[in-house]
Amino acid sequence: MAKAKTNTEDYLRMYRQMVRIRVFEDNANQLYLSAKMPGLTHMYSGEEAVAVGICEALTDSDRITSTHRGHGHCVAKGADFKQMFCELLGKEEGYCRGKGGSMHIADQSHGNLGANAIVGGSMGIATGSALRAKLQGSDDVSVCFFGDGATAQGLLYEVMNMASLWKLPVIYACENNGYSEYTKTEEIAAGSIPARAEAFGIESFTVDGQDVLAVNELTERLVARARKGEGPFFVELMTYRYHGHHVGDINRDYYRAKEEETIWKESRDPIVNFGKWLAEEGIANAEDLQAMEDEIRADAKAAVDYALSAKYPDESEVDMHVFAPTDPATLRPGA
């Protein structure tokens, strides 16, 4: 863990946010297993320190773009349980009125430009957001989350080239969880992943993605530098997903060993290890942390119950937010 700070509220908030992500995912998984949630979803459990460590260094004015494994980013950037569960269940009170589902949640009020089901699909959006900030003279920073598998997408190299040329305030955050779907990262990524960004003159870093304080400390430094026009930056965060590629990926023996999963869960869990550090520093004891978790689980249960009984969108909304409003006068010939 990184060096202790004086403001213990920051630590407790980071711990709470990590637990909120874990609890949200536990509930989302149960909704799928009980056939109450349509479609698939991709669990973020095990990677909580990445989303929280980064998003705690951002303001609501700073932007993020997310991925198909995006619930953790949404929660860390300030999303509400009730609206998120409504979105997963296709209800009208969801962030996208139930039309986005698990992989397309967006929360503009907190600077979340949206999750994306296309691998690497949000790279251009994040870079465009950073270009917008520079052109407007704004000091906000954009963070682009993506997995190690997305480094095979050509779009990444196009946008890194532009970001480096124009010194854009964007941070490319590669969540390297060791697997590109069902294939080990080492089998699909030749050479060093950070070296790919360095080829464009982008300063790059590798950090322990299970250490929330290390992630947060690095991100705070990079965000401050990006605000001063010193960006872009690239960060590889070494982490691990506890579940399969998606909720239906239950038997993983053919591509990763149970022993490996056990080691990460028992010795590298970001929440457990941060909780131990909080106790060692005298910030919170085990009873305090358990009480916090119990409160969060109660909040999540209430949100799930609410979402299950909430209304679906009316069928009249089928084309709402699909087409931009058009002035009929502009449709006349010669107009």
Side-chain angles (χ1 to χ4, degrees):
M1 287 293 173
K3 184 179 179 180
K5 299 178 183 178
T6 55
N7 190 352
T8 60
E9 291 182 5
D10 292 341
Y11 300 134
L12 293 176
R13 186 174 61 251
M14 284 192 278
Y15 185 86
R16 173 180 288 274
Q17 286 291 72
M18 286 200 291
V19 174
R20 289 184 75 239
I21 293 172
R22 182 74 58 87
V23 168
F24 182 91
E25 296 295 55
D26 288 346
N27 280 270
N29 192 39
Q30 286 304 311
L31 285 171
Y32 170 80
L33 294 175
S34 60
K36 295 176 182 176
M37 182 178 68
L40 289 175
T41 189
H42 304 74
M43 299 287 96
Y44 196 76
S45 304
E47 303 182 30
E48 294 88 354
V50 173
V52 173
I54 289 177
C55 290
E56 281 294 313
L58 306 175
T59 68
D60 274 353
S61 296
D62 294 318
R63 272 64 163 184
I64 68 167
T65 59
S66 187
T67 71
H68 60 280
R69 197 180 309 283
H71 301 162
H73 310 140
C74 294
V75 172
K77 201 63 170 67
D80 173 75
F81 273 178
K82 187 181 294 184
Q83 283 182 271
M84 284 191 69
F85 281 120
C86 280
E87 188 61 38
L88 261 62
L89 295 173
K91 303 304 180 72
E92 69 175 12
E93 291 182 63
Y95 275 106
C96 302
R97 297 190 67 78
K99 301 173 184 179
S102 169
M103 291 186 280
H104 299 92
I105 296 176
D107 177 15
Q108 302 287 347
S109 66
H110 292 105
N112 182 355
L113 300 181
N116 203 305
I118 299 173
V119 175
S122 67
M123 294 167 173
I125 299 171
T127 307
S129 172
L131 175 59
R132 180 268 318 150
K134 183 165 186 176
L135 293 174
Q136 291 181 341
S138 173
D139 71 347
D140 61 272
V141 174
S142 297
V143 175
C144 177
F145 289 101
F146 55 94
D148 48 281
T151 60
Q153 298 295 321
L155 177 60
L156 175 62
Y157 304 98
E158 296 182 43
V159 298
M160 286 197 300
N161 184 62
M162 289 188 288
S164 183
L165 283 171
W166 300 335
K167 300 297 181 185
L168 301 183
V170 58
I171 298 173
Y172 297 103
C174 176
E175 298 177 302
N176 188 344
N177 61 28
Y179 292 86
S180 175
E181 294 192 350
Y182 316 103
T183 307
K184 289 184 178 180
T185 303
E186 62 197 45
E187 296 176 6
I188 61 97
S192 164
I193 288 179
R196 301 179 182 197
E198 291 166 1
F200 294 94
I202 297 176
E203 196 172 343
S204 302
F205 305 83
T206 297
V207 65
D208 181 2
Q210 304 304 88
D211 184 342
V212 67
L213 295 184
V215 174
N216 182 250
E217 182 180 11
L218 173 61
T219 307
E220 285 185 341
R221 294 203 322 264
L222 298 185
V223 167
R225 292 179 59 189
R227 292 199 203 284
K228 295 189 293 184
E230 297 180 22
F233 300 103
F234 186 101
V235 181
E236 179 186 33
L237 302 112
M238 310 307 293
T239 185
Y240 197 80
R241 57 171 164 83
Y242 288 173
H243 291 266
H245 170 54
H246 55 73
V247 283
D249 176 19
I250 296 174
N251 181 16
R252 299 179 290 279
D253 292 348
Y254 69 98
Y255 73 91
R256 96 180 179 188
K258 283 187 170 60
E259 291 78 13
E260 177 185 291
E261 295 183 0
T262 300
I263 290 172
W264 279 87
K265 291 178 181 179
E266 292 185 353
S267 63
R268 302 279 286 122
D269 186 277
I271 298 175
V272 171
N273 289 344
F274 189 41
K276 290 178 180 177
W277 183 86
L278 291 173
E280 291 170 358
E281 294 294 322
I283 296 171
N285 58 37
E287 289 75 20
D288 296 329
L289 300 181
Q290 186 60 55
M292 183 187 298
E293 180 178 337
D294 292 344
E295 175 193 340
I296 293 169
R297 290 195 178 278
D299 289 343
K301 182 182 184 305
V304 169
D305 291 344
Y306 181 90
L308 286 169
S309 60
K311 288 176 53 181
Y312 287 102
D314 187 79
E315 61 183 17
S316 63
E317 292 190 20
V318 67
D319 61 352
M320 183 185 291
H321 305 129
V322 175
F323 302 102
T326 304
D327 182 353
T330 65
L331 301 179
R332 293 198 305 270

